[in-house]
Amino acid sequence: MSPPPHLLGIEGLSAARIERLLSLAQRFHAAAPPRSLAGKRLLVLFYEASTRTRTSFEVAARRLGAETVSVTAQSSSIEKGESLLDTVYTLSAMVIDGIVVRHASSGAPRLVAEHVDVPVINAGDGMHEHPTQALLDGFTILRHRPAIAGLKVAIIGDLLHSRVARSNLLLLSRLGAEVWLCGPRTLLPPEFAAYGPGVRLTHELEEALAGADVVMVLRIQMERMRESFFPSEAEYVARYSVTRERLRTAKPDALVMHPGPMIRGVEISAEVADSPQSVIREQVENGVLIRMAVLHDALQGAA
Amino acid sequence: MSLILRNGRLLDPGRGLDQVGDLVLEGDRIRALGPGIAAASPGSLDCTGLVVAPGFIDLHVHLREPGFEYKETIESGTRAAAAGGFTAVCAMPNTSPVNDNAGATAYLIQRAREFGHARVYPIGAITAGSQGERLAALGAMREAGAVGYSDDGRPVRNAQIMRRALEYASMLGLPVVQHAEDLDLSAGGSMHAGAVALRLGLRGISSASEATVVARDLLLAEETGARLHIAHVSTAASARLLREAKSRGVRVTAEVTPHHLSLCDEDLVPYDANFKMNPPLRSRADRDALIAALADGTLDAIATDHAPHAAHEKQQEFDRAPFGILGLETALPLGLRLVAAGAIPLSRLLDALSGAPARAFGLPGGALVPGGLADVTVFDPAAAWTYDPAQGCSKSRNSPFAGWTLQGRAVYTIVGGRVTFASRGNLDTP
């Protein structure tokens, strides 16, 4: 028996599946979606606080006709110290067709996938991957550009702690983009260069932005920082905040993206966030489409 | 009561002994050895084709008793030791309660006498409760039978306390064993800091987190003239520092584990906690440097850091799972892999498993010599077998080597003239 069609990361995802997911999202955008998951029950298991991703998955599931059962760390036996696997075993006994997992520990969705026989979707694990975010980002770019190959994409900010950056790095470099990573040395370790050809590292924002087609801005993840990574927020803003002034060196029609939640005035200026170049709101809309595509693809095939 | 081991390859690197012959044990001592000195007789052990070596001594084992008997007990841990060819193990003090006083040390020795399949040498804590603040009852623990001191797993952070521990232990003639780790540098880490950790989104434990403490302690050992032993050396940088210190006569010894000699971070099965231990599997270059340092004697001994954990503890999120893996039942064949690969000679392997650890902690045994302790390991260097932790003697199963096809296995383990393990008759070899 082959394993269920999990989505644990961009790493290991076949080119055919990436293509299928992007075109499914396009199809759901163009026409009213089918109730292809009617009668299916999806467990949405969030071990980490989240507003947009959890809501996005729930909306996507309902649009396809599926029922969702949401469990969050704050409202469950997780709080009482039950292990991840025991929680999953217990909830699986209630007949579910798929599990969406968000967890603060890298690799947690894989652990779940190894112990259940329904598809597991990674909704973000620790600092590891956030595959649906990368897919929705790729989809968003493709709605504005004919192809990703040949684009210069700059990802700016806290790379070290970012699962969004890791998944995007894998997806976009695989689709042929030149990906520039930019942040202070403490948040951009040189080992990122090992991700593959077409990955460039710089600590100078000007270099990353010069001629960029896409500018992805990341939040400073204070909750994942145990120590001091830069002297002050003011110094970070002075060196790395994406402002209208600095954005002038990018292509005039460069897309500005942010996975949210966004802190205006820190990593990005309000002006840039609200500018016509910004597709930040569109990313949220596309998130639902991509998650519909992912759920349809993973659950429809599963018996 | 005498026991005759007939026609084996007698191998004692410490004495330059390597010849086919017989070994005669009388009581708990070796009486005689040499070619053709004993005739086949009822009860003698035919060792034709087998290696007869000084009993293996493991300087670094977690027996988990008292306090964590669901992971391992003195009985199961020493049974695993005997099955792996070990005649003696040094028991780390991080039990519950911590072995930081004479009563706890004596209790361990007493339990081992009752239930042990191998000798158990207690290592006492350096500081009370291994809290790193006040010196533990070092003198009293030595009187009770401790052979060294360590706060293993909880490195001595305060350099002044480390210095005093070295001074005091040197007066008592025992080594201080340091688990070298700067806890600020390694904070939150669950595997070696490098490209693999970055990709898996796991916080890293840098090589420098070990080597900085090794450097500090070498300076303290040099200044105090005390005996220092560095546990489970895992990095090229630490090996380099040790080599330099030894060349200047610093009184330091060091051990390396079979897993650090066999695996590197690239071998880690993603998020499989059976690959999680501390220090972590390092880079390929580190592993190669450790093999070279074992070959040239910079690293004196092979010690397993046998660290059993229950399945439910290991089947967790990688960053939550406890550090540590089994080691006793796979150390010999993993060492023989290095010999087969031409990385070290068999004599160096056997010295690292017997003579060198005996010298490092001043323990009896570790030699095949008339009048010496009758602790002997007899193994079949050619036996091929597949390791299945579920079939092993340890109570736990946490090993990254599960399913490996290995070559070489203990056939008889003899402690004080008494056979504590014998595989003949049920050895699953062709």
Side-chain angles (χ1 to χ4, degrees):
Chain A
M1 209 179 79
S2 62
H6 305 299
L7 179 66
L8 302 178
I10 298 297
E11 187 155 33
L13 207 57
S14 72
R17 189 148 172 222
I18 292 171
E19 183 55 41
R20 191 167 73 237
L21 292 172
L22 292 173
S23 62
L24 263 177
Q26 181 57 42
R27 209 174 87 201
F28 293 155
H29 173 68
R35 289 182 55 83
S36 59
L37 300 184
K40 303 269 187 190
R41 195 183 290 172
L42 184 70
L43 173 61
V44 180
L45 188 54
F46 270 59
Y47 276 76
E48 210 180 42
S50 158
T51 312
R52 90 187 52 212
T53 305
R54 184 164 57 84
T55 312
S56 183
F57 269 107
E58 286 170 352
V59 170
R62 280 186 212 129
R63 280 204 200 157
L64 295 172
E67 183 189 338
T68 59
V69 181
S70 283
V71 177
T72 59
Q74 294 79 16
S75 68
S76 67
S77 52
I78 298 164
E79 279 263 282
K80 297 168 191 155
E82 186 175 61
S83 79
L84 173 60
L85 286 183
D86 280 335
T87 301
V88 166
Y89 288 143
T90 303
L91 295 171
S92 296
M94 299 173 192
V95 190
I96 49 159
D97 301 290
I99 305 178
V100 174
V101 187
R102 154 75 57 101
H103 202 292
S105 290
S106 299
R110 180 192 288 237
L111 181 68
V112 174
E114 282 166 358
H115 292 88
V116 297
D117 50 15
V118 297
V120 174
I121 312 295
N122 180 1
D125 63 326
M127 313 188 306
H128 176 227
E129 282 227 44
H130 193 352
T132 57
Q133 178 71 43
L135 288 164
L136 78 87
D137 288 341
F139 181 72
T140 303
I141 295 171
L142 283 170
R143 290 189 58 192
H144 295 271
R145 296 286 182 277
I148 283 172
L151 297 182
K152 174 175 176 176
V153 180
I155 306 180
I156 293 146
D158 177 0
L159 283 304
L160 177 63
H161 299 100
S162 178
R163 54 193 174 214
V164 173
R166 282 173 178 79
S167 286
N168 263 308
L169 186 48
L170 289 164
L171 182 77
L172 299 175
S173 61
R174 223 161 100 193
L175 296 177
E178 182 182 287
V179 183
W180 284 72
L181 305 180
C182 177
R185 175 64 180 79
T186 44
L187 295 172
L188 178 55
E191 287 85 2
F192 266 115
Y195 262 74
V199 177
R200 310 287 185 81
L201 275 55
T202 179
H203 306 305
E204 304 305 323
L205 185 57
E206 290 67 28
E207 195 181 8
L209 292 179
D213 298 280
V214 178
V215 178
M216 282 188 187
V217 188
L218 303 174
R219 185 173 59 93
I220 297 301
Q221 301 194 50
M222 289 302 180
E223 72 277 18
R224 286 186 216 283
M225 292 194 191
R226 296 169 186 223
E227 325 88 22
S228 174
F229 284 85
F230 46 82
S232 66
E233 191 177 282
E235 184 159 326
Y236 184 86
V237 169
R239 291 183 66 91
Y240 294 105
S241 185
V242 176
T243 59
R244 196 160 72 173
E245 173 95 2
R246 283 171 167 158
L247 201 56
R248 289 207 178 100
T249 61
K251 293 242 173 83
D253 59 347
L255 302 176
V256 174
M257 307 177 78
H258 194 302
M262 170 169 72
I263 314 295
R264 288 164 188 266
V266 181
E267 70 268 16
I268 189 167
S269 73
E271 258 183 337
V272 171
D274 299 329
S275 72
Q277 288 171 265
S278 165
V279 292
I280 296 170
R281 282 181 67 98
E282 198 188 316
Q283 284 174 275
V284 179
E285 296 162 29
N286 292 339
V288 175
L289 295 172
I290 275 291
R291 285 165 187 131
M292 286 165 70
V294 164
L295 293 174
H296 173 91
D297 182 66
L299 268 68
Q300 217 202 14
Chain B
M1 183 66 195
S2 73
L3 182 64
I4 296 168
L5 309 181
R6 226 171 31 75
N7 200 39
R9 181 179 170 193
L10 304 174
L11 228 165
D12 178 357
R15 265 140 210 85
L17 171 71
D18 186 359
Q19 65 176 188
V20 173
D22 309 325
L23 182 69
V24 180
L25 311 179
E26 181 78 48
D28 69 348
R29 298 281 142 179
I30 293 171
R31 195 173 74 193
L33 69 160
I37 62 165
S41 59
S44 68
L45 304 175
D46 179 7
C47 295
T48 306
L50 306 179
V51 174
V52 177
F56 297 165
I57 300 168
D58 191 339
L59 296 178
H60 196 138
V61 166
H62 298 274
L63 292 176
R64 303 300 191 206
E65 184 182 343
F68 305 101
E69 287 85 353
Y70 66 96
K71 299 174 196 257
E72 197 79 285
T73 61
I74 291 166
E75 197 280 327
S76 66
T78 56
R79 197 144 45 86
F86 288 94
T87 55
V89 297
C90 296
M92 281 296 175
N94 61 337
T95 46
S96 180
V98 171
N99 177 10
D100 63 357
N101 62 80
T105 301
Y107 173 80
L108 184 58
I109 289 173
Q110 161 72 21
R111 296 282 292 179
R113 280 215 185 97
E114 279 176 60
F115 301 106
H117 304 274
R119 296 180 197 275
V120 175
Y121 297 118
I123 293 178
I126 298 172
T127 61
S130 290
Q131 297 290 318
E133 286 157 16
R134 292 178 297 110
L135 291 181
L138 303 182
M141 286 191 288
R142 194 195 70 160
E143 300 310 314
V147 299
Y149 307 106
S150 182
D151 280 353
D152 186 49
R154 305 181 71 167
V156 181
R157 208 167 177 155
N158 183 317
Q160 183 68 285
I161 289 171
M162 186 63 185
R163 183 198 172 90
R164 297 215 176 104
L166 283 163
E167 288 172 340
Y168 203 88
S170 75
M171 171 183 82
L172 299 170
L174 296 187
V176 174
V177 182
Q178 178 70 297
H179 164 123
E181 177 182 356
D182 181 306
L183 295 172
D184 293 317
L185 283 174
S186 66
S190 53
M191 70 172 287
H192 174 61
V196 180
L198 187 82
R199 206 173 180 106
L200 294 175
L202 294 170
R203 289 172 199 277
I205 299 171
S206 70
S207 294
S209 69
E210 174 179 284
T212 52
V213 175
V214 170
R216 181 197 78 175
D217 289 352
L218 286 171
L219 293 170
L220 293 173
E222 183 165 18
E223 210 167 82
T224 58
R227 259 169 68 199
L228 172 69
H229 179 81
I230 303 293
H232 43 52
V233 173
S234 71
T235 69
S238 300
R240 201 165 58 232
L241 290 163
L242 282 162
R243 188 176 290 119
E244 190 274 339
K246 282 185 159 190
S247 75
R248 287 184 301 102
V250 178
R251 297 177 70 203
V252 61
T253 51
E255 70 190 35
V256 61
T257 72
H259 49 273
H260 288 111
L261 294 166
S262 305
L263 298 170
C264 64
D265 63 347
E266 296 164 41
D267 298 316
L268 184 138
V269 172
Y271 310 113
D272 181 346
N274 287 325
F275 288 79
K276 181 179 177 183
M277 71 293 286
N278 191 12
L281 298 173
R282 298 291 186 183
S283 71
R284 190 173 295 276
D286 284 312
R287 188 204 56 187
D288 293 347
L290 294 177
I291 294 171
L294 177 66
D296 74 14
T298 297
L299 300 176
D300 302 83
I302 291 176
T304 66
D305 195 5
H306 179 80
H309 289 293
H312 72 267
E313 295 172 309
K314 280 295 196 179
Q315 285 202 344
Q316 288 196 78
E317 299 87 324
F318 193 85
D319 55 5
R320 294 176 63 132
F323 290 104
I325 62 165
L326 303 182
L328 287 166
E329 295 175 77
T330 48
L332 170 63
L334 291 173
L336 288 168
R337 276 179 93 235
L338 299 174
V339 175
I344 54 167
L346 179 60
S347 57
R348 179 74 263 269
L349 172 66
L350 296 183
D351 181 53
L353 285 167
S354 59
R359 291 190 298 277
F361 284 12
L363 304 173
L368 295 181
V369 58
L373 212 53
D375 286 10
V376 183
T377 299
V378 180
F379 66 91
D380 179 352
W385 58 294
T386 301
Y387 176 54
D388 175 5
Q391 303 295 317
C393 298
S394 171
K395 282 185 99 165
S396 295
R397 297 176 181 186
N398 50 311
S399 170
F401 300 108
W404 279 41
T405 298
L406 300 169
Q407 196 171 324
R409 199 170 194 181
V411 177
Y412 302 115
T413 305
I414 298 164
V415 179
R418 193 168 59 89
V419 178
T420 58
F421 172 78
S423 72
R424 270 286 151 90
N426 57 6
L427 198 62
D428 56 340
T429 51

